[in-house]
Amino acid sequence: MSVRASSGRVTRIRGDVVDVRFPEDAPRIQEALYAGATPLEVVALLDEATVRCIALAPVRGLALGAEVLASGAPVRVPVGEAMLGRMLDMFGNAIDGRPAPLAAEKWPIHRDPPPLAERVVRGTVLETGIKAIDLLSPIERGGKTGLFGGAGVGKTVLINELINNTVRHHRGVSLFCGIGERSREAEELYREMGEAGVRERTVMLFGQMNEVPGVRFLVGKTALTMAEYFRDEMRQDVLLLIDNVFRFVQAGAEVSGLLGRMPSRVGYQPTLATELASLQERITSTRDGAITSVQAVYVPADDFTDPAAVHIFSHLSASVVLSRKRASEGLYPAVDPLASTSVMLTPAVVGERHCDIARAVRRTLAEYEELRDIIAMLGLEELSSADRAVVARARRLERFLTQPFHVAASFSGTPGERVPIDQTLDGCEAILAQDRFEDDEMDYYMIGALPRQAAAA
């Protein structure tokens, strides 16, 4: 493909939006331009010679009349094995203090998803070792899972524990994409992955919180491009972890506002559904390999009817909902067992026993929720013996589904535990079968698997 190069001049600067006029051959949409050291991306054509661009770096020092060079191609990033073990920015530049990675190829970050005829559905479960997720919302290998919750309920801790539990057992390549991450979180993740010995099979990409909205909006596309290379060229399975998809939506809203578009519901951009689909539809499995995605999703004001949350829900195969109420009760991970769902939780995929136990756990916890008001008003003594037994089982199940995390061991003082799904099922089955409750319900709190003698009893 021939690369066309031409130059124009800056005619207007408004925040991070830059208008550039070319004497002829105006660049195409999504083409990368360079005003000195400031990269720009074309987002609109104003007339046959003028383009409107979004800046991908601070525009400090950029002046009217400055020369702008057209690259003739979209933003391209390095891909390949040289990226493994590195911490990179949206352009694939090293931000870990080490020399720049040497990559044989560069791919454009804007790519079409695979054709429907090339996609495959695997129908297998990725075991995480986290009891509440494996039991009630199993993750699909090659699917998309969302961790939903408001501020401070444990989304980042949970995704870091998923990294710890799955990356070291994952046979393929892992890729972490931080969208709008705090620099503290990025540094902690880099250090912890080195200590866990999994950094050399992982690529870490960050569009940090202090960067311009264009970078936060596009860093997810960079991550997908690198993941697609490992899937399509190296035929490997990829575990893609994203924190946080809502910040991708926020960055899109900022870009939309800068471009002067009319806002839609709750102030979101009118192109919300299209922008999310352009990101999510590239996360898929083909005959060559699978991209399994786990995405943290901030829910504004704990409102699950928020348009961003609703649109993200529609793309997922599993949803893990984190509850502020459970977090306030000290039940960590604060997974809401009644709101979390997965398309994998069917007898054909996980088996009859798993399905039956998960249904029984949900039913017991739902009955307990209905009894809470009666207990609050009249007291536990006013319940029938059958209802008291339901409450006892439910409270033990709630505590058994808590778990000490490896990534929180330095704060809690309790070593983390990874629990195989068989032991989770055995523990829940033992609790559901109890008729006499002579033990203390706190014996089930923050443990891994149920002790063998307790499970046997």
Side-chain angles (χ1 to χ4, degrees):
M1 183 182 73
S2 62
V3 177
R4 172 181 49 79
S6 59
S7 65
R9 297 285 173 180
V10 174
T11 59
R12 185 184 185 195
I13 303 172
R14 188 182 62 187
D16 292 318
V17 174
V18 180
D19 291 355
V20 184
R21 185 169 185 81
F22 288 80
E24 57 183 14
D25 289 338
R28 300 176 180 87
I29 288 177
Q30 295 183 344
E31 186 170 326
L33 313 180
Y34 294 89
T38 305
L40 311 169
E41 184 180 75
V42 178
V43 292
L45 305 178
L46 301 184
D47 56 45
E48 66 277 2
T50 308
V51 295
R52 178 156 289 169
C53 310
I54 193 77
L56 303 181
V59 294
R60 190 182 307 113
L62 190 62
L64 295 176
E67 185 180 26
V68 178
L69 296 177
S71 67
V75 174
R76 303 173 76 86
V77 295
V79 293
E81 286 189 288
M83 305 296 110
L84 292 171
R86 304 305 302 271
M87 184 157 61
L88 310 168
D89 65 9
M90 190 212 96
F91 300 96
N93 301 319
I95 54 174
D96 52 10
R98 294 159 58 190
L102 299 175
E105 290 187 63
K106 284 193 172 186
W107 281 17
I109 63 171
H110 298 288
R111 296 167 55 81
D112 293 329
L116 290 176
E118 295 180 12
R119 304 189 193 192
V120 296
V121 179
R122 309 224 165 186
T124 56
V125 170
L126 178 71
E127 187 174 306
T128 67
I130 298 173
K131 293 181 287 187
I133 293 178
D134 286 343
L135 174 69
L136 300 169
S137 188
I139 291 176
E140 179 187 6
R141 188 183 295 275
K144 296 184 276 284
T145 299
L147 307 180
F148 290 83
V153 295
K155 296 184 300 299
T156 297
V157 172
L158 186 54
I159 206 166
N160 285 350
E161 185 70 6
L162 281 166
I163 291 170
N164 184 83
N165 285 6
T166 55
V167 168
R168 67 174 64 187
H169 298 277
H170 183 63
R171 294 181 182 177
V173 170
S174 302
L175 200 152
F176 179 87
C177 176
I179 303 177
E181 280 284 275
R182 302 170 183 88
S183 56
R184 169 185 58 79
E185 293 172 342
E187 188 277 330
E188 285 176 358
L189 179 69
Y190 184 77
R191 178 165 35 81
E192 287 168 2
M193 294 189 84
E195 292 169 357
V198 297
R199 189 193 295 159
E200 296 311 309
R201 296 296 299 163
T202 306
V203 184
M204 283 162 282
L205 280 159
F206 293 96
Q208 297 179 65
M209 192 174 275
N210 65 323
E211 297 193 72
V212 296
V215 167
R216 287 180 274 122
F217 185 63
L218 293 177
V219 69
K221 305 285 183 73
T222 299
L224 281 168
T225 299
M226 293 188 181
E228 287 165 345
Y229 179 86
F230 287 114
R231 180 194 65 193
D232 300 338
E233 299 298 317
M234 302 187 68
R235 302 186 174 225
Q236 291 186 319
D237 286 353
V238 182
L239 181 63
L240 174 62
L241 302 124
I242 304 176
D243 187 9
N244 184 312
V245 175
F246 180 77
R247 295 199 189 109
F248 165 78
V249 174
Q250 274 188 316
E254 287 184 59
V255 170
S256 180
L258 288 168
L259 295 174
R261 293 174 184 154
M262 183 71 71
S264 183
R265 288 179 56 204
V266 200
Y268 287 112
Q269 61 271 41
T271 52
L272 170 62
T274 305
E275 289 169 2
L276 266 174
S278 70
L279 186 77
Q280 299 283 0
E281 287 302 301
R282 289 172 63 182
I283 305 172
T284 187
S285 300
T286 67
R287 297 180 183 88
D288 297 324
I291 299 178
T292 304
S293 173
V294 181
Q295 311 169 16
V297 184
Y298 168 71
V299 181
D302 294 336
D303 179 13
F304 286 88
T305 64
D306 186 88
V310 170
H311 281 292
I312 294 169
F313 263 121
S314 65
H315 290 279
L316 304 176
S317 56
S319 302
V320 179
V321 177
L322 301 181
S323 160
R324 190 172 301 282
K325 179 182 175 185
R326 293 178 70 81
S328 68
E329 295 171 355
L331 301 174
Y332 290 104
V335 175
D336 187 332
L338 304 181
S340 302
T341 60
S342 172
V343 298
M344 294 284 99
L345 198 59
T346 63
V349 178
V350 298
E352 291 281 357
R353 178 173 178 249
H354 186 155
C355 260
D356 290 344
I357 292 172
R359 284 196 202 102
V361 167
R362 278 210 175 100
R363 184 166 56 248
T364 303
L365 295 174
E367 289 174 8
Y368 176 44
E369 284 297 317
E370 292 173 0
L371 294 169
R372 277 179 182 265
D373 290 341
I374 298 173
I375 296 168
M377 289 186 292
L378 303 177
L380 188 63
E381 297 75 17
E382 296 301 315
L383 298 180
S384 66
S385 58
D387 285 343
R388 284 201 297 272
V390 168
V391 171
R393 278 192 287 270
R395 290 181 64 85
R396 282 160 175 77
L397 284 169
E398 281 185 333
R399 280 144 187 79
F400 178 63
L401 291 177
T402 63
Q403 189 169 340
F405 280 178
H406 294 87
V407 296
S410 59
F411 304 103
S412 65
T414 305
E417 294 204 36
R418 185 181 193 275
V419 183
I421 183 61
D422 291 340
Q423 294 182 18
T424 300
L425 295 175
D426 291 342
C428 291
E429 197 170 43
I431 294 170
L432 290 166
Q434 283 188 23
D435 293 321
R436 298 163 59 191
F437 304 96
E438 298 173 356
D439 54 359
D440 189 340
E441 63 186 33
M442 291 307 292
D443 293 342
Y444 298 86
Y445 181 68
M446 282 296 170
I447 63 172
L450 204 62
R452 289 187 180 277
Q453 59 271 23

